Amino acid sequence: MTGRDDGNRHTEATGGADSSWAQELLDQLRPAGSGVRRIVAWLATTLDATVSLLDRGGEPLAGERMPLDDDLFGDLVCGRLASAAWEGDGRSLRLVRVELPGPGTAAVLVVGRTAPFDRRAAEILRRAASVLELLLRAQQTVATGDRLARATADLRLAILQLLMVEDIVAARRVAAGLWPGLLDTETTCVYVVETSPADRDRLADACVEATRDEALVVRCPAMDGHVIVVVPDDTTASALRSVCERTPDALLGGSARQRLAGTATAYGQAVSALAVARFRPDQTAVYAERTHPERLMDPDVLRSWSTRLLRPLDTLPHHTRAELLATTRLGLEFTAVSAAKVLGVSRNTVRARMERVENLLGTDFSDLTVRAAVHLALNTEVALTEDTRVRPAGPARFGDLLTGPALGTWARDLLARLDTDARDLRRTLRAWLAAGGNAERAAQLLGVHAQTVREHVRSAEPVLERQLLASGSDLYEVVLAHLATRELDQPDLRQDPPAESGHPDSPVHD
């Protein structure tokens, strides 16, 4: 058994010219050099010894495995001994218990050398054991903090995924434990902050701090550079804007205010707003800041048509219907892979749900005009209140939505922006949309190379201030503009009533 040195011996051991080892040991605690394995390696070199740090099961945490007496090792691990020494057969062995956080947890530091342990060697061993204890405690504290942070992040994502499928009751129940009152609201806005993947964690932490747990901050599972923030009020949104203003190159896109059940729609709007933010000096944009085609349509006709189109889904149980609609909204906005990551399901599940909606509606989602029409109906359905949901209205065709003068003016003005380009971007874009967004098929129609089509479509994006190569609200608005100007064929929708004689459904190409 080893005992504590008295004060005089301690001073003698650590003073004088031979105390350089103390500075070397301190150097191991620098951020660039700290680590249990480095301390053990340093100790082995300094004492010219074999060193091993063993966990309570006898497995090496660092260093080499050495044969030990099981009873002696057990006494050290359980705390009956604090240290032990043994000499014989030309070797000296020292064992020191290293305390760890938690009741009854410890490691054992074992040092074996051919030379006896003098006062200097014993002091170095004692100090090194203390440093190892501090490092192991710090590592365990950091590991516990990391696990807690991961669990919190997973919980935030789970809440978002519940909101995406309109399971509001479950989302509120999950959030109540850690963030009481967070979802005690009927309406909300969604913001998406875009930065580099390397800066995302720092930005997400800044968003959490700025919003003071009064917003749901989630690292997007689909896009490495995105942070999704669900905010209940304008005060929280202002704090979020301040964070982005202090972050170079950060983009901020926000949704219009939606019912809590419309979180998926709000998310799509926020991502769409990012496209506009790229062209703004302040790098921020809100979805409601620009005119959208649905706002220019007759609201009664729009509600009547949307209700009729989605009526085949009304026979499903409420939860199933909400799940299918939420999945389809995201599937129309993003790829199946991205939608699956956001919802926490497989991409095959996303495709299967969308195929079921296709079959129920009797539509074909490979047709861009059909996708744009169903996307319009789904967003209208989210905005319906109990009063407007039951309002009776006569049968309406999709084409009826496109005949208003305000919508026609908006569509012509939007597409006219393309006419100033000598490359005839408008013609290329129209052919690309007619080909379902397929550059190869559009190239065959136009007699040009597919890369030329892609370059023209990409060039049209800043002119229209809308993302086109990525599926989503921006693309569908441009499709609706072409439908309103009758430059694309009307979609084939089974739920539309028969066309009246002379109904202007045929396209007119310039």
Side-chain angles (χ1 to χ4, degrees):
M1 298 283 292
T2 60
R4 182 185 301 274
D5 292 333
D6 59 34
N8 294 331
R9 291 184 178 181
H10 174 72
T11 302
E12 181 182 352
T14 58
D18 194 28
S19 63
S20 60
W21 63 266
Q23 184 60 49
E24 293 177 5
L25 180 57
L26 288 175
D27 288 342
Q28 304 304 313
L29 296 177
R30 297 178 185 273
S34 62
V36 171
R37 293 183 183 276
R38 289 182 62 91
I39 298 277
V40 168
W42 173 86
L43 186 60
T45 300
T46 302
L47 297 183
D48 190 19
T50 301
V51 182
S52 182
L53 181 65
L54 307 175
D55 64 17
R56 62 180 297 108
E59 295 298 322
L61 296 172
E64 306 175 12
R65 183 190 297 273
M66 289 189 284
L68 295 173
D69 180 82
D70 291 340
D71 292 337
L72 178 60
F73 181 78
D75 288 341
L76 286 161
V77 168
C78 70
R80 285 192 289 269
L81 293 176
S83 61
W86 177 87
E87 293 186 8
D89 298 330
R91 284 189 61 79
S92 297
L93 190 68
R94 293 290 177 97
L95 299 90
V96 181
R97 173 183 166 89
V98 179
E99 297 285 348
L100 297 179
T105 58
V108 175
L109 179 63
V110 184
V111 181
R113 62 193 301 229
T114 56
F117 280 84
D118 55 14
R119 188 175 301 166
R120 173 181 178 276
E123 180 67 11
I124 292 174
L125 174 58
R126 185 179 72 84
R127 293 295 182 88
S130 298
V131 171
L132 286 171
E133 182 175 314
L134 291 173
L135 280 177
L136 289 170
R137 286 177 176 270
Q139 286 181 358
Q140 188 158 337
T141 300
V142 170
T144 300
D146 289 343
R147 287 195 297 270
L148 180 60
R150 286 195 298 270
T152 303
D154 290 343
L155 190 58
R156 292 178 186 273
L157 176 58
I159 296 170
L160 177 66
Q161 290 169 342
L162 289 170
L163 291 175
M164 288 289 192
V165 296
E166 302 183 24
D167 197 343
I168 308 304
V169 174
R172 283 172 171 160
R173 186 178 296 125
V174 173
L178 289 180
W179 303 285
L182 176 64
L183 299 181
D184 290 349
T185 178
E186 294 303 321
T187 62
T188 188
C189 290
V190 174
Y191 286 84
V192 176
V193 185
E194 181 179 301
T195 186
S196 66
D199 292 337
R200 182 174 71 164
D201 286 347
R202 179 184 57 79
L203 186 60
D205 292 339
C207 291
V208 171
E209 182 179 356
T211 57
R212 300 177 181 177
D213 280 337
E214 294 178 356
L216 183 66
V217 181
V218 181
R219 291 164 175 81
C220 179
M223 301 296 292
D224 291 340
H226 285 190
V227 178
I228 305 170
V229 187
V230 182
V231 301
D233 55 50
D234 294 336
T235 302
T236 308
S238 299
L240 189 62
R241 287 178 180 270
S242 299
V243 171
C244 294
E245 289 172 357
R246 298 192 301 268
T247 305
D249 302 324
L251 300 173
L252 178 65
S255 74
R257 183 157 293 278
Q258 297 282 349
R259 293 185 300 117
L260 200 57
T263 301
T265 297
Y267 171 59
Q269 292 179 350
V271 173
S272 176
L274 280 177
V276 179
R278 298 178 197 280
F279 310 113
R280 294 285 181 84
D282 60 355
Q283 297 183 309
T284 65
V286 176
Y287 188 79
E289 289 179 356
R290 75 186 192 205
T291 302
H292 298 283
E294 63 270 20
R295 298 176 182 269
L296 303 175
M297 298 176 182
D298 185 304
D300 291 336
V301 176
L302 178 58
R303 283 191 294 264
S304 175
W305 169 80
S306 300
T307 301
R308 175 183 290 273
L309 181 69
L310 301 177
R311 186 166 295 162
L313 282 77
D314 293 345
T315 59
L316 301 174
H318 174 75
H319 177 74
T320 301
R321 183 182 187 276
E323 186 177 70
L324 291 179
L325 292 181
T327 302
T328 303
R329 285 190 200 102
L330 286 178
L332 293 176
E333 287 281 353
F334 310 101
T335 65
V337 174
S338 296
K341 290 179 179 179
V342 172
L343 293 172
V345 298
S346 71
R347 59 184 177 183
N348 289 335
T349 298
V350 171
R351 292 190 179 108
R353 290 176 182 174
M354 293 185 69
E355 287 176 3
R356 187 176 180 185
V357 172
E358 275 185 297
N359 294 331
L360 288 169
L361 300 184
T363 56
D364 179 8
F365 286 164
S366 65
D367 186 328
L368 262 181
T369 60
V370 170
R371 291 170 69 91
V374 174
H375 180 266
L376 175 64
L378 291 175
N379 285 344
T380 303
E381 195 268 348
V382 167
L384 289 178
T385 64
E386 290 304 317
D387 292 337
T388 57
R389 191 181 302 275
V390 299
R391 179 179 297 176
R397 291 178 52 80
F398 180 69
D400 297 336
L401 301 174
L402 309 175
T403 58
L407 183 65
T409 300
W410 167 83
R412 288 188 293 273
D413 290 346
L414 177 66
L415 299 182
R417 301 180 192 177
L418 302 171
D419 294 337
T420 58
D421 196 296
R423 293 172 293 178
D424 202 353
L425 299 183
R426 186 166 180 172
R427 176 172 176 264
T428 303
L429 180 58
R430 182 173 62 242
W432 181 73
L433 294 175
N438 186 288
E440 285 75 14
R441 291 205 301 268
Q444 292 176 357
L445 292 173
L446 296 171
V448 298
H449 195 277
Q451 186 60 30
T452 301
V453 174
R454 296 188 187 96
E455 290 176 357
H456 284 195
V457 174
R458 191 175 291 110
S459 298
E461 289 185 325
V463 177
L464 299 176
E465 290 190 335
R466 285 161 174 81
Q467 285 185 305
L468 302 175
L469 292 173
S471 182
S473 298
D474 287 358
L475 174 61
Y476 301 139
E477 286 188 4
V478 175
V479 172
L480 291 176
H482 281 81
L483 290 170
T485 57
R486 298 165 61 194
E487 296 178 50
L488 285 178
D489 293 319
Q490 295 293 310
D492 182 13
L493 301 173
R494 187 177 67 184
Q495 302 305 315
D496 264 5
E500 298 177 2
S501 176
H503 199 282
D505 276 352
S506 59
V508 175
H509 300 305
D510 53 16

